[in-house]
């Protein structure tokens, strides 16, 4: 997730990633020469959540060698990486990449946010660590993916995390409830609650209850609709970020069979016939091309924008696109780079006449307050800086039926669309068939009380984020040159399905309902954007088109796990169709975006995929019961 203020700042910022080669403290950060002189069992393209989770588990076996190649550097533990209240680490994300003009958003272009460092998105993200609704994963399974339903994933969610319960007095004051039975206590990623709540947040909690939103028992139990306090990827002893680098790299730094090559781009996968044999890589800022051999598998983990880019550059993708750039075709696979999705954020801002001091805005704007909180954080690991900057602590996650009484008409509107006409002209029939199947599945979820279409979070200051998390629109990723160093064309496809804007409108109206409750009215809110004066549907929709941001950095689904005749790119074991020894372990393999933030699911999926890969390669699997 990704609150509103950051986005405004981003549109202005252009930072070049640090160019100094920063070798980590670990011997197994290797040079390009050492990597190319070594034959590995597995070579992983991308050192984000998926890549590092799998690398960690595969190298548990000392006889298995793994090389992770990561485009970005290793962070240096800067406060803006580690201290929640000093977020955002702009130096560790991709800068200068924007979308193509969004035709349904007045042709505006938007930044495309992703991590570019060891840890990937987990190094730069807002630390919300939330599982998605059980029925959403069950929807993935129903599309032809046995093993990806909630019941199958739950043991891996547990394996991935080390949950620390909140202090009981604080939990009572803050209305935090949780179920130990759904959590894990031995895993690498810390899951804990920030020990601070802004004093005004209770007003919002009561207002949400007053409109009938139930309090969630534990949003990570497979049922995330309702009102709850955020769980975060946060080390409870230090109140610092817990992320893929600390959890799946630093923690196992003694393993000589785990190599990491940083500031290096994987430029191509190499094939002998249809078998992946390794990759080519180029240290960033150079033109020198190296080869490395993967004896067992090449594993793609470069994220939803770059994994399809690498595949297309390697000659795997829609034939016409590859041929238009003169890329030799290894396999015509129409789904590569289709089905692109993100979640959207409609910021709603206020002027309060009598808000309660302090708020999340005071961390940003009041230097005296910040200094006080920094001292408290440094001395006792308490206070407002334990919360990710600009965010509050409470969220409501809403099904369509809880959002609007008009739900049946919206489902009918969606059902009346012709899927083919919503995709670009000339889309492959298999891709259209897969989209149609997905839509049917998603419409069932729209009708369920247990599947979220949106979430709302007030940051206790001027801003409420209204997230629409279950879009029907689809975009695409397409290479625009034969160089890995040129950005691909990123099209969010925002609002190509007319249902999506109606869902945002319903969520904006729901937010107004919450704000209209007595406990919020006590604070004297005046809606500035879209603006209290806008009352008709048409007025609000015009404002949505001008103000919505089509991404909250939850890009996904561009190499979808779907049947081949449904535009799929990978099978349920995440092997690429039609090729040998090539697997995908990142967010690009999701069929559709489930209704919450991605990282918790990616850690769990990484754990599951490591077991799948071990079994496929005859490597002993450590029983799941060891982690219970
Ligand atoms: C600003 C921001 C805020 C977010 N907030 C949250 C949140 O609060 N909660 C949440 O759950 N999720 C959040 N997310 C999303 C979440 O972090 C991502 O969904 C997740 O990291 C994706 O994991 P992944 O393994 O698929 O890819 P990533 O973690 O993105 O890793 C991919 C890696 O591959 C590297 N790479 C790319 N191309 C190449 C190449 N050619 N060669 C070598 N390496 C390459 C990238 O540099 C990157 O490090 C946020 C993301 C951002 C950017
Ligand atoms: C890599 O191998 C080449 C030739 O096999 C050799 O000349 C070179 O010294 C090796 N480099 C390293 C860093 O091992
Ligand atoms: C889980 O986290 C707690 C709190 O930091 C820590 O004391 C404990 O050792 C961790 N457990 C494991 C197995 O890492
Ligand atoms: C907790 O819930 C009670 C009862 O709804 C409410 O009065 C209080 O303000 C809430 N506190 C917080 C911090 O949400
Ligand atoms: C989820 O919770 C809601 C109310 O909080 C309840 O109506 C529903 O039955 C629950 N669903 C599941 C699958 O537990
Ligand atoms: C790398 O491999 C490719 C094809 O597999 C080959 O054409 C090329 O010559 C190799 N380059 C080097 C530097 O070994
Ligand atoms: C916001 O409120 C303050 C008083 O708290 C007032 O002075 C100011 O004019 C208001 N701004 C807007 C845009 O309404
Ligand atoms: C800024 O913070 C200080 C310290 O908490 C507080 O005393 C002061 O009132 C705050 N100023 C404003 C304008 O809120
Ligand atoms: C795509 O490539 C064309 C031709 O090289 C170039 O003019 C254009 O700027 C590129 N588009 C993007 C978004 O990089």
């Amino acid at each position: 997730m990704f609150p509103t203020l950051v986005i405004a700042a981003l549109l202005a910022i252009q930072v070049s990633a640090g160019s100094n080669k920063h070798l980590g403290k670990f011997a197994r950060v290797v040079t390009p020469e050492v990597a190319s002189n070594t034959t590995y069992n597995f070579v992983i393209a991308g050192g984000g959540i998926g890549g590092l989770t799998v690398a960690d588990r595969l190298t548990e076996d000392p006889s298995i060698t793994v090389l992770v190649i990561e485009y970005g550097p290793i962070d240096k533990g800067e406060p803006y990486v580690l201290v929640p209240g000093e977020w955002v680490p702009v130096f560790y994300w991709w800068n200068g990449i924007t979308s193509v003009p969004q035709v349904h958003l007045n042709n505006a272009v938007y930044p495309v946010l992703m991590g570019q460092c060891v840890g990937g998105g987990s190094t730069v993200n807002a630390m919300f660590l939330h599982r998605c609704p059980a029925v959403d994963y069950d929807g993935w399974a129903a599309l032809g993916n046995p093993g990806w339903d909630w019941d199958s994933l739950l043991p891996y969610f547990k394996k991935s995390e080390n949950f620390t319960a909140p202090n009981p007095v604080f939990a009572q004051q803050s209305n935090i409830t949780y179920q130990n039975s759904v959590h894990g206590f031995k895993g690498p990623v810390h899951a804990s609650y920030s020990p601070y709540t802004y004093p005004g947040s209770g007003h919002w909690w009561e207002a949400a209850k007053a409109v009938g939103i139930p309090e969630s028992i534990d949003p990570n139990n497979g049922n995330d609709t309702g009102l709850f306090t955020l769980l975060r990827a946060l080390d409870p002893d230090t109140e610092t970020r817990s992320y893929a680098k600390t959890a799946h790299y630093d923690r196992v730094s003694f393993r000589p069979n785990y190599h990491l090559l940083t500031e290096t781009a994987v430029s191509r996968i190499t094939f002998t016939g249809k078998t992946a044999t390794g990759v080519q890589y180029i240290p960033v800022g150079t033109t020198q091309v190296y080869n490395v051999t993967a004896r067992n598998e090449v594993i793609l983990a470069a994220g939803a924008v770059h994994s399809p880019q690498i595949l297309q550059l390697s000659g795997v993708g829609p034939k016409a696109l590859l041929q238009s750039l003169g890329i030799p075709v290894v396999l015509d696979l129409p789904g590569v780079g289709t089905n692109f999705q993100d979640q959207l954020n409609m910021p709603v801002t206020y002027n309060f006449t009598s808000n309660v001091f302090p708020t999340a805005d005071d961390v940003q704007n009041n230097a005296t307050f910040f200094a006080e909180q920094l001292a408290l954080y440094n001395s006792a690991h308490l206070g407002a800086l334990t919360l990710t900057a600009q965010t509050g602590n409470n969220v409501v996650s809403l099904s369509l039926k809880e959002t609007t009484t008009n739900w049946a008409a919206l489902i009918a509107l969606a059902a009346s669309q012709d899927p083919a006409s919503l995709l670009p002209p000339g889309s492959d029939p298999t891709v259209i068939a897969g989209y149609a199947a997905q839509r049917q599945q998603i419409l069932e979820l729209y009708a369920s009380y247990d599947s979220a279409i949106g979430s709302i979070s007030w940051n206790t200051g001027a801003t409420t984020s209204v997230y629409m998390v279950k879009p029907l629109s689809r975009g695409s990723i397409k290479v625009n040159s034969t160089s890995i160093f040129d950005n691909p064309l990123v099209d969010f496809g925002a609002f190509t399905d007319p249902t999506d804007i109606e869902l945002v409108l319903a969520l904006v109206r729901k937010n107004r309902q919450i704000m209209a409750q007595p406990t919020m009215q006590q604070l004297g809110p005046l809606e500035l954007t879209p603006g209290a004066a806008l009352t008709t549907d048409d007025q609000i929709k015009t404002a949505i088109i001008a103000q919505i941001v089509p991404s909250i950095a939850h890009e996904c689904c561009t190499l979808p796990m779907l049947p081949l005749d449904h535009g799929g790119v990978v099978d349920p074991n995440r092997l690429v169709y039609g090729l040998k020894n090539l697997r995908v372990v990142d967010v690009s393999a999701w069929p559709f975006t489930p209704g919450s933030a991605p990282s918790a699911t990616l850690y769990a999926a990484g754990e599951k995929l490591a077991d799948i890969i071990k079994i496929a390669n005859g490597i002993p699997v450590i029983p799941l019961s060891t982690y219970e």
Side-chain angles (χ1 to χ4, degrees):
M1 299 267 170
F2 171 168
T4 304
L5 297 178
V6 184
I7 299 161
L10 261 174
L11 293 165
I13 296 173
Q14 290 289 324
V15 194
S16 63
S19 56
N20 286 345
K21 182 96 185 167
H22 178 71
L23 291 184
K25 56 186 163 174
F26 305 113
R28 59 199 171 68
V29 174
V30 295
T31 61
E33 288 76 24
V34 167
S36 70
N37 274 8
T38 310
T39 295
Y40 296 90
N41 293 108
F42 299 91
V43 173
I44 302 181
I49 296 181
L52 292 185
T53 306
V54 167
D56 172 354
R57 295 307 185 182
L58 292 179
T59 54
E60 281 172 339
D61 186 325
S63 71
I64 298 302
T65 53
V66 174
L67 171 68
V68 175
I69 303 177
E70 166 52 45
Y71 196 108
I74 301 181
D75 74 76
K76 303 178 185 71
E78 295 89 339
Y80 52 73
V81 172
L82 295 182
V83 180
E86 300 203 43
W87 189 69
V88 210
V90 293
F91 286 99
Y92 294 114
W93 65 39
W94 293 77
N95 285 285
I97 172 164
T98 51
S99 71
V100 300
Q102 295 298 287
V103 289
H104 298 282
L105 300 179
N106 299 327
N107 282 321
V109 301
Y110 298 86
V112 183
L113 274 209
M114 302 158 288
Q116 186 193 85
C117 53
V118 173
S122 72
T123 309
V124 302
N125 74 22
M127 301 183 221
F128 298 2
L129 191 70
H130 272 270
R131 301 175 191 169
C132 302
V135 288
D136 287 7
Y137 303 114
D138 294 349
W140 286 0
L143 288 170
N145 298 306
W148 292 95
D149 57 296
W150 167 257
D151 287 343
S152 303
L153 283 172
L154 183 57
Y156 289 104
F157 276 117
K158 292 183 183 178
K159 178 178 179 178
S160 71
E161 72 172 2
N162 178 359
F163 177 81
T164 299
N167 168 298
V169 175
F170 176 74
Q172 174 128 43
Q173 287 164 356
S174 315
N175 302 321
I176 300 173
T177 56
Y178 57 91
Q179 283 173 293
N180 278 330
S181 60
V182 298
H183 288 287
F185 303 87
K186 295 183 185 170
V189 180
H190 284 286
S192 69
Y193 300 91
S194 155
Y196 182 79
T197 300
Y198 290 106
S201 54
H203 287 256
W204 195 77
W205 188 279
E206 288 204 48
K209 278 176 67 178
V211 303
I213 300 169
E215 290 162 293
S216 164
I217 302 162
D218 184 330
N220 290 297
N221 70 3
N223 190 353
D224 92 327
T225 47
L227 168 62
F228 55 85
T229 301
L230 282 165
L231 185 66
R232 295 172 197 260
L234 198 57
D235 181 328
D237 301 324
T238 56
E239 299 300 334
T240 53
R241 176 185 297 271
S242 179
Y243 55 123
K245 174 184 163 277
T246 53
H248 291 295
Y249 175 67
D250 292 351
R251 189 180 65 86
V252 291
S253 61
F254 51 85
R255 291 182 192 158
N257 55 329
Y258 182 165
H259 284 185
L260 176 64
L261 179 55
T262 63
E263 290 166 89
T264 299
V266 170
S267 54
R268 245 166 214 71
I269 300 159
T270 49
F271 294 97
T272 300
K274 299 267 191 280
T275 303
T277 54
V279 306
Q280 296 193 336
Y281 58 89
I282 307 175
V284 176
T286 78
T287 52
Q288 188 161 1
V289 184
Y290 295 83
N291 284 339
V292 63
T293 302
R295 207 181 294 126
N296 295 53
E297 294 185 8
V298 172
I299 296 176
L300 269 178
V305 171
H306 297 104
S307 283
Q309 179 196 24
I310 293 170
L311 260 189
Q312 290 170 1
L313 291 179
S314 308
V316 179
K319 193 169 153 187
L321 170 65
L322 306 184
Q323 286 176 339
S324 72
L325 289 166
I327 299 170
V329 178
V330 172
L331 181 69
D332 178 16
L333 196 51
V336 174
T338 64
N339 198 43
F340 183 41
Q341 299 161 53
D342 204 324
Q343 299 172 339
L344 305 87
N345 178 13
M346 175 63 193
V348 180
T349 59
Y350 299 89
N351 196 359
F352 289 92
T353 55
S354 41
N355 203 352
V356 183
F357 176 87
T359 76
D361 292 346
D362 294 301
V363 174
Q364 306 296 306
N365 305 333
N366 180 335
T368 315
F369 178 69
F370 179 84
E372 280 173 11
Q373 293 303 309
L374 184 60
L376 177 62
Y377 180 90
N378 286 335
S379 61
H381 308 308
L382 292 172
L385 296 195
T386 65
L387 289 169
T388 316
Q390 311 173 27
T391 69
N393 220 358
N394 299 330
V395 173
V396 297
S397 193
L398 296 161
S399 67
L400 178 59
K401 287 179 172 175
E402 290 167 319
T403 307
T404 173
T405 53
N406 196 33
W407 59 269
L410 295 186
I411 292 177
L413 172 67
S416 72
Q417 305 301 314
D418 167 25
S421 71
L422 301 175
L423 295 178
S427 290
D428 192 84
T430 62
V431 171
I432 296 171
Y435 183 41
Q438 274 188 56
R439 293 177 63 87
Q440 227 167 356
Q441 186 61 50
I442 292 169
L443 294 200
E444 276 178 41
L445 294 172
Y446 281 179
S448 157
Y449 277 104
D450 301 333
S451 179
I453 60 125
S455 50
I456 301 176
S457 186
W458 176 47
N459 81 343
T460 69
T463 311
T464 294
S465 296
V466 175
Y467 301 110
M468 204 283 264
V469 299
K470 193 70 63 46
L472 286 166
S473 302
R474 297 293 180 261
S476 62
I477 305 293
K478 289 180 184 162
V479 282
N480 188 41
S481 86
T482 55
S483 168
I484 192 69
F485 297 110
D486 291 334
N487 292 324
L489 301 177
V490 178
D491 185 356
F492 290 110
F495 288 172
T496 47
D497 182 313
T499 317
D500 286 353
I501 190 170
E502 301 295 336
L503 298 181
V504 178
L505 172 67
L507 288 161
V508 167
R509 289 206 179 280
K510 190 68 178 187
N511 178 57
R512 281 190 175 173
Q513 227 184 320
I514 296 171
M515 282 291 169
Q517 299 309 305
T519 53
M520 285 311 292
Q521 286 298 305
Q522 283 166 19
L523 310 180
L526 169 66
E527 187 186 297
L528 300 179
T529 60
L534 308 185
T535 54
T536 69
D537 286 356
D538 284 345
Q539 287 171 331
I540 299 171
K541 282 200 268 185
T542 302
I544 288 171
I545 287 168
Q547 291 160 19
I548 198 163
V549 180
S551 169
I552 55 172
H554 294 180
E555 304 92 346
C556 74
C557 309
T558 49
L559 303 173
M561 175 169 67
L562 287 170
L564 183 58
D565 62 5
H566 279 52
V569 173
V570 296
D571 70 14
N573 289 324
R574 301 288 188 85
L575 286 165
V576 178
Y577 290 117
L579 301 172
K580 277 212 172 95
N581 297 353
L582 183 59
R583 222 181 276 267
V584 178
V585 299
D586 62 18
V587 73
S588 42
W590 294 2
F592 62 84
T593 188
S596 184
S599 59
T601 305
L602 289 162
Y603 284 115
E607 298 284 5
K608 183 178 169 71
L609 285 160
D611 277 359
I612 288 175
I613 295 167
K614 283 178 177 178
I615 291 166
N617 288 275
I619 304 166
V621 169
I622 300 174
L624 274 171
S625 56
T626 314
Y627 302 95
E628 273 160 15

